[in-house]
Amino acid sequence: MKTLIELHGELVSGATTVEALVSQAKKTITEKDGEIHALLGLYSDALINAQIAHAKDMFARGTATALTGIPVVLKDNIVVRGEKATAASKILEEYVATYDATVVKKLKDAGAILLGRANMDEFAMGGSTENSAFGVTKNPHDATRVAGGSSGGSAASVAYGAVLIALGSDTGGSIRQPASFCGIVGLKPTYGTVSRYGLMAMGSSLDQIGPFANSVEDAEIVFNAIKGADDLDSTSVKNIPEQNHTLKKKIGVPWSFVRREGVDAEVLKNFEASIEKLKGAGYEIVDVSLEHLEKSLSVYYVVVFAEISSNLARYDGIRYGMSIKDESMIKGYLKTRTEGFGPEVRRRILLGTYVLSSGYYDAYYNKANLVREMLRQEFEKVFEEVDVVAMPTSPIPAFKIGEKAHDPLAMYLADIFTVPVNIVGVPAISIPSGKTAENLPLSLQLIAPHFGESTLFAIGKDFEKLY
Ligand code: GLN
């Protein structure tokens, strides 16, 4: 697999062309997507051709970037002006976006070729892409298994080689876990570093857009292209602090949290081997205690439900999207939402409304936010001592399609290692670390302090060399 830098060199020298890259991507999609179903559709020819012309112009003028002419796939909850964006929901099946997300504008400016819309769990709720209203995405390593979720289509499209780069969104693990299941790199940036403008909101205090790539270096290039302050997102960080680049070469592992019931034996063995390799590469490993990690699933599934119930109130069948008319407006509203949303989305709206209802607000939502703050402080303290905290990305490798589809609790438990990161708002990266006996990809997750992406890239590149 070529890197972005290599491909850029070929584009500059004329060894390949933008048109050739786009045709190659389309050919791979035609050959493989029938089986994998990573994509919900391609963008219009008008958009693709305009982007090709723009990219060629940038090469001609000498203003091309490493992303110029590179085909990219977007999770279908990121809006592109004049194109469909469905969030894999029936309620938005025919929705056409009226503006560009900030990340879209940045990618277009960089000369990337936005090629198609990736499948996902409906409104990003899930961990397997089985909650898509438009069919499941299969894992390119084993088509009887899930690609992970909720950005399963983005991950699978990079894993089977349709594109080198895809964007996803991560609210509780939705970039890192599918990256892990599909054997590629996935980055969840610091909350507030990548604009959420034009990302359909799920849990607004947790959501972040980030890249999927074949290598840490490629993910870094995309992150640098999409990050930055944005007046259109009120939580966007205005002045991203400068990084202190001197590494302590110290990695913290919360061993008692990692060695827990429910973690697959091969996952644990692989994680221990990864840590040994890092030791061999000169990193000091210290056992760290983060007491409130144990509470993070409970905190996440209170906060996220609450925010979902508020955010999804806008899909009322009046302003946009599916609209079922009935004798009264309220009946039409109820019918639109019952028929437009799938079961997982309805479950979460109901539970979120419950935790926000008067009398329970303090008991659940406020308490969850208190624990959230305690966990943040614990992480801050640990980061005084170590560069990063390491954990597996997922307690299990890719599971069989249908295996957990009817057990929401089992599905939620699988998010144990990814949700703490979103609760605290720090950045984390998932990097391939080998395979199981059945040839299923496994990954190491590295977590850095706020704005510590460059630390993740530096240690991540060291780690990649060990495989
Ligand atoms: N699996 C988690 C959930 O279902 C995470 C989803 C996400 O990050 N979008 O909420």
Side-chain angles (χ1 to χ4, degrees):
M1 198 65 70
K2 288 191 179 118
T3 68
L4 284 176
I5 300 285
E6 283 165 359
L7 216 47
H8 180 67
E10 289 184 15
L11 284 166
V12 171
S13 73
T16 189
T17 63
V18 177
E19 285 97 332
L21 292 185
V22 174
S23 325
Q24 181 57 47
K26 283 188 177 170
K27 186 164 164 264
T28 309
I29 291 166
T30 309
E31 283 167 8
K32 302 205 176 142
D33 211 68
E35 189 193 6
I36 302 298
H37 192 44
L39 298 179
L40 294 174
L42 295 183
Y43 292 123
S44 64
D45 286 339
L47 174 65
I48 294 173
N49 292 335
Q51 293 177 119
I52 293 175
H54 177 51
K56 286 171 69 177
D57 190 50
M58 287 175 78
F59 277 107
R61 288 168 191 266
T63 58
T65 73
L67 286 174
T68 308
I70 305 294
V72 175
V73 155
L74 302 181
K75 187 175 184 178
D76 207 25
N77 57 354
I78 300 173
V79 300
V80 180
R81 189 189 162 101
E83 304 289 334
K84 270 192 182 184
T86 67
S89 179
K90 260 170 69 182
I91 211 163
L92 291 180
E93 190 165 5
E94 301 303 330
Y95 174 67
V96 174
T98 55
Y99 66 100
D100 277 339
T102 296
V103 291
V104 166
K105 186 174 180 311
K106 284 182 182 279
L107 287 180
K108 282 183 174 175
D109 289 348
I113 314 291
L114 304 180
L115 193 66
R117 307 182 288 116
N119 198 13
M120 55 186 282
D121 283 301
E122 183 176 5
F123 285 105
M125 301 177 201
S128 64
T129 314
E130 291 169 291
N131 295 338
S132 167
F134 309 122
V136 62
T137 295
K138 296 176 180 160
N139 191 311
H141 294 266
D142 174 350
T144 67
R145 293 178 187 266
V146 301
S150 64
S151 318
S154 301
S157 62
V158 173
Y160 81 69
V163 284
L164 292 184
I165 299 299
L167 292 191
S169 64
D170 191 314
T171 303
S174 283
I175 293 174
R176 291 158 288 154
Q177 185 255 29
S180 172
F181 282 13
C182 290
I184 58 170
V185 171
L187 171 75
K188 199 276 316 173
T190 306
Y191 182 78
T193 52
V194 177
S195 171
R196 292 183 295 111
Y197 180 71
L199 168 69
M200 293 180 198
M202 174 182 167
S204 306
S205 74
L206 305 155
D207 300 338
Q208 252 316 260
I209 295 173
F212 290 91
N214 289 303
S215 65
V216 174
E217 179 187 77
D218 283 3
E220 181 178 9
I221 290 172
V222 182
F223 171 68
N224 285 328
I226 61 175
K227 72 175 181 191
D230 183 10
D231 287 340
L232 297 169
D233 171 0
S234 62
T235 57
S236 157
V237 176
K238 296 288 166 281
N239 299 303
I240 297 176
E242 280 297 315
Q243 290 291 308
N244 170 9
H245 285 283
T246 45
L247 290 185
K248 303 182 197 84
K249 294 210 94 179
K250 252 191 186 180
I251 298 177
V253 180
W255 281 114
S256 62
F257 183 66
V258 171
R259 290 193 179 117
R260 61 190 298 107
E261 209 186 306
V263 177
D264 178 271
E266 280 187 282
V267 167
L268 195 56
K269 212 173 109 220
N270 176 268
F271 177 72
E272 289 169 348
S274 296
I275 294 299
E276 281 308 309
K277 285 190 188 191
L278 283 163
K279 237 191 233 174
Y283 285 90
E284 186 187 338
I285 309 298
V286 292
D287 190 0
V288 293
S289 133
L290 289 148
E291 205 191 313
H292 287 87
L293 275 178
E294 289 295 342
K295 304 280 190 296
S296 37
L297 270 180
S298 320
V299 169
Y300 174 77
Y301 278 104
V302 167
V303 173
V304 85
F305 289 169
E307 295 185 5
I308 285 167
S309 78
S310 315
N311 274 325
L312 272 72
R314 73 191 66 174
Y315 303 103
D316 53 13
I318 294 165
R319 283 170 283 196
Y320 45 74
M322 180 174 153
S323 179
I324 301 176
K325 303 276 181 282
D326 208 319
E327 30 187 82
S328 69
M329 201 171 95
I330 190 75
K331 276 196 178 157
Y333 174 83
L334 291 174
K335 248 197 185 154
T336 302
R337 286 169 68 84
T338 321
E339 290 182 25
F341 289 139
E344 181 64 22
V345 175
R346 290 204 304 271
R347 176 183 300 122
R348 292 186 184 210
I349 292 172
L350 285 173
L351 288 167
T353 311
Y354 176 77
V355 303
L356 287 178
S357 58
S358 81
Y360 293 109
Y361 186 91
D362 270 336
Y364 294 108
Y365 189 68
N366 278 348
K367 199 176 249 170
N369 274 322
L370 279 179
V371 180
R372 187 176 186 176
E373 177 56 23
M374 285 153 112
L375 185 62
R376 198 186 60 74
Q377 288 176 11
E378 277 176 11
F379 263 101
E380 228 161 57
K381 202 145 170 264
V382 163
F383 284 131
E384 283 170 14
E385 193 194 349
V386 301
D387 300 311
V388 290
V389 169
M391 289 194 237
T393 306
S394 166
I396 44 173
F399 45 88
K400 294 267 185 195
I401 292 170
E403 190 184 315
K404 295 186 196 298
H406 302 291
D407 187 352
L409 208 55
M411 199 76 96
Y412 300 166
L413 288 174
D415 298 331
I416 179 89
F417 295 137
T418 47
V419 297
V421 167
N422 304 76
I423 292 173
V424 174
V426 289
I429 196 165
S430 178
I431 306 172
S433 63
K435 292 200 169 165
T436 66
E438 283 185 280
N439 231 13
L440 301 173
L442 295 169
S443 287
L444 175 76
Q445 178 182 210
L446 299 173
I447 306 166
H450 289 91
F451 312 110
E453 279 83 358
S454 62
T455 304
L456 295 180
F457 299 141
I459 302 179
K461 284 175 198 168
D462 277 355
F463 182 70
E464 264 178 336
K465 286 188 212 118
L466 306 171
Y467 276 89

